[in-house]
Amino acid sequence: MSNLSFLSKKGAAASKSPMRIDLEIYYEAMENLYHPETNPSGALPMNVAENHLCWEMLRDRIQKVTRENTIPEWVASYTDPAGAPSFREATAEFLSKFLMHVPVNPDSLAFSGGATSTIEMTSFLLANPGDTAVIPAPSYPVYSGDIGTLPEVKRFDLQVPSKPINSEYQFDLQLLQEAKEKIEANGSNFRMLILTQPDNPTGRIYSESLLRKIADWCIQNQIHLIVNEIYGLSQLDIQNPNLKAFYPQASPFVSFGKIMSEYQSPFLHFWYSFSKDFGISGFRIGLLHSHNEDLIQAYRNAGLGHSISNYTQWVIQEVLLDHGFLKTFFESFQQKLTESYLIVTQTLKKLNIPFNPSRGSLFVWMDLSEFLEEKSLKGEEKLWLEIYEKTGILITPTNGFGHSEKGWYRIVITSLSHEELKVAMKRLSDFIQIKRKG
Ligand SMILES: Cc1ncc(COP(=O)(O)O)c(C=O)c1O
């Protein structure tokens, strides 16, 4: 008898569903990392959305906290499952000053272990099993598991026009109306709309006017709109002289938090996490912001199992209170991010590889369709593996982004230092040139 028979139905299904299909190969690459002297032909993993650009700076600041302070009493005991009051206050001030530019009430925040857990909790509290969440495609593959595995919410990949390629989303509300009719005809409920800005993988943002139109439509239709701004401060400096010309009519980035503070609607919500902008995915801090008091209370009542360690909350709260440090940190990060983006996109331009111009995130979304032997998932997988085997560069496999166009790949630009990124781009150029020679 298989051991699976001792698991629940969900347990048995989970035991057969890896979180992502590239994990095994990622661990293999991590065992064989590139080093200029000791392993010059080693692997260059660029598949997982890690930001290593400013870790040293943040590590020093965190170590200052732990070196110079005594751990406060409250850290050793239970606290509010939605987040310790002092941590919620420090985060509210941080969000207000650096991202939303409106006052943020600490009571509108609820925390859990990373955005992953926040997405799962929010979906479970807002939607019933069998309801549907609509997500513009392409989008973050792991949304499917976060909304699906425990909350049992279905994912509907909204196919937004991909041409002309653009750094801002442009779609008609009619698209949402059509999705609603299709979902209802299939016997489900369009319960949530999930937007990500800057987007994973395209780096697109939403103009303020489009965000407002979408918010109005959702409120009218009693659909929960959640904007995930996990990459909210991973913004490119589009005033950089090497970038400016590519963004002739750029809308300013406007956080959805600003619109929410004006609308005060129970249907509008916001996600954030410290994993990407701060580059501390291992600390596991995610948050929900909402003016729906019942939702925050439900999160608090049901969230103990997802709560964050008080030690983590305390250490990060002390860093968040140092606004002078945060200002320097984000200036330095955005400058380094822009440099990483330029290293990758200038290579792609030289190679004539199309890519989506980005406003932020940790990615470049590029079109390698000319190298597909077959315009199918199988063809995409073959090329993905070939790139890894021949160059040691591990990019993200295409499976699960939910879009219909074949041959687009996501490359993470912040998992490597600038020197390593240049080595990766040299290897990619050689690969592409050899491929084109046939
Ligand atoms: C859009 C999006 N949401 C959520 C997550 C998960 O973040 P966390 O590490 O905070 O759980 C990611 C990570 O890549 C992401 O890209």
Side-chain angles (χ1 to χ4, degrees):
M1 194 192 293
S2 152
N3 284 343
L4 287 182
S5 57
F6 297 113
L7 303 183
S8 66
K9 273 191 207 146
K10 281 192 176 174
S15 78
K16 291 181 181 157
S17 321
M19 190 184 76
R20 39 190 294 168
I21 64 161
D22 53 347
L23 275 190
E24 226 172 277
I25 203 165
Y26 176 61
Y27 295 141
E28 177 193 304
M30 294 298 282
E31 291 292 308
N32 175 34
L33 283 180
Y34 165 83
H35 186 279
E37 277 114 44
T38 56
N39 194 14
S41 61
L44 295 158
M46 303 175 78
N47 57 327
V48 177
E50 294 280 11
N51 168 17
H52 296 152
L53 294 182
C54 290
W55 166 234
E56 278 161 25
M57 196 174 169
L58 186 54
R59 177 171 52 195
D60 287 349
R61 187 62 190 83
I62 289 173
Q63 284 184 337
K64 187 166 148 53
V65 175
T66 54
R67 209 173 37 240
E68 294 179 1
N69 294 277
T70 304
I71 303 172
E73 288 298 311
W74 64 267
V75 169
S77 314
Y78 290 120
T79 184
D80 184 339
S86 55
F87 181 57
R88 277 192 282 120
E89 271 169 39
T91 308
E93 277 180 36
F94 153 69
L95 289 173
S96 164
K97 177 150 184 201
F98 289 89
L99 188 57
M100 297 181 179
H101 308 296
V102 287
V104 177
N105 180 351
D107 293 336
S108 69
L109 304 180
F111 289 85
S112 46
T116 304
S117 159
T118 309
I119 295 164
E120 184 178 273
M121 282 284 291
T122 313
S123 307
F124 154 75
L125 297 170
L126 290 179
N128 290 310
D131 283 348
T132 297
V134 172
I135 307 177
S139 194
Y140 177 51
V142 187
Y143 274 140
S144 307
D146 298 349
I147 65 171
T149 307
L150 296 180
E152 294 185 56
V153 173
K154 296 180 196 158
R155 170 173 178 161
F156 180 101
D157 294 302
L158 186 75
Q159 302 301 321
V160 297
S162 59
K163 298 249 164 49
I165 52 176
N166 202 306
S167 64
E168 290 176 29
Y169 271 100
Q170 283 166 346
F171 60 83
D172 206 276
L173 294 187
Q174 186 55 29
L175 218 53
L176 294 175
Q177 189 58 40
E178 284 163 14
K180 185 168 185 287
E181 284 158 20
K182 224 186 255 176
I183 290 163
E184 285 169 2
N186 282 328
S188 181
N189 233 338
F190 182 167
R191 188 72 175 160
M192 312 195 297
L193 174 63
I194 299 173
L195 311 179
T196 313
Q197 76 150 352
D199 183 44
N200 172 2
T202 62
R204 288 188 197 127
I205 62 163
Y206 291 82
S207 68
E208 182 172 0
S209 66
L210 182 55
L211 272 180
R212 282 176 185 275
K213 275 190 220 156
I214 296 174
D216 289 335
W217 185 88
C218 284
I219 292 168
Q220 250 167 34
N221 287 280
Q222 305 205 326
I223 288 169
H224 291 283
L225 167 60
I226 308 138
V227 180
N228 185 354
E229 290 188 12
I230 188 168
Y231 300 101
L233 291 166
S234 303
Q235 292 188 35
L236 292 175
D237 171 17
I238 58 167
Q239 294 309 320
N240 179 296
N242 294 314
L243 278 183
K244 206 170 172 182
F246 299 99
Y247 301 90
Q249 287 166 330
S251 305
F253 175 87
V254 174
S255 168
F256 189 56
K258 174 174 172 248
I259 296 169
M260 283 172 63
S261 101
E262 199 183 297
Y263 279 61
Q264 297 283 323
S265 162
F267 288 102
L268 307 184
H269 320 283
F270 172 99
W271 289 325
Y272 188 71
S273 148
F274 289 72
S275 299
K276 314 298 177 178
D277 295 343
F278 286 84
I280 47 171
S281 52
F283 280 60
R284 311 307 301 135
I285 312 171
L287 70 93
L288 164 73
H289 163 56
S290 175
H291 297 294
N292 184 329
E293 289 173 12
D294 292 336
L295 174 60
I296 297 292
Q297 193 54 42
Y299 205 106
R300 171 170 287 117
N301 293 346
L304 186 59
H306 295 251
S307 59
I308 312 166
S309 124
N310 284 358
Y311 186 77
T312 301
Q313 297 188 59
W314 166 62
V315 169
I316 296 304
Q317 151 194 318
E318 295 305 306
V319 175
L320 291 179
L321 292 172
D322 186 350
H323 285 191
F325 167 78
L326 293 182
K327 185 169 176 294
T328 315
F329 177 82
F330 284 115
E331 279 167 5
S332 169
F333 168 46
Q334 288 172 3
Q335 194 225 322
K336 285 188 176 184
L337 176 68
T338 306
E339 179 64 28
S340 299
Y341 182 78
L342 281 167
I343 293 170
V344 172
T345 54
Q346 284 174 346
T347 306
L348 297 181
K349 264 185 223 145
K350 268 194 215 141
L351 293 167
N352 256 322
I353 301 285
F355 59 90
N356 198 92
S358 164
R359 286 293 299 272
S361 79
L362 312 181
F363 318 108
V364 169
W365 181 238
M366 61 183 174
D367 179 6
L368 299 181
S369 57
E370 71 167 280
F371 304 108
L372 290 184
E373 279 172 26
E374 181 186 307
K375 289 216 163 175
S376 65
L377 191 57
K378 220 171 115 215
E380 288 180 329
E381 237 177 75
K382 188 161 180 249
L383 178 62
W384 168 67
L385 259 183
E386 187 186 346
I387 293 172
Y388 177 60
E389 280 162 6
K390 296 205 171 134
T391 68
I393 301 170
L394 184 58
I395 58 178
T396 316
T398 55
N399 200 354
F401 282 97
H403 60 305
S404 49
E405 232 171 301
K406 291 286 159 216
W408 284 79
Y409 291 81
R410 187 188 81 170
I411 186 162
V412 175
I413 63 173
T414 47
S415 57
L416 304 180
S417 68
H418 292 155
E419 290 66 37
E420 291 164 340
L421 204 49
K422 285 176 191 160
V423 174
M425 289 303 101
K426 168 80 176 73
R427 290 191 195 172
L428 185 70
S429 302
D430 293 347
F431 172 81
I432 283 173
Q433 277 155 7
I434 291 169
K435 208 68 191 148
R436 279 190 179 140
K437 277 189 201 139

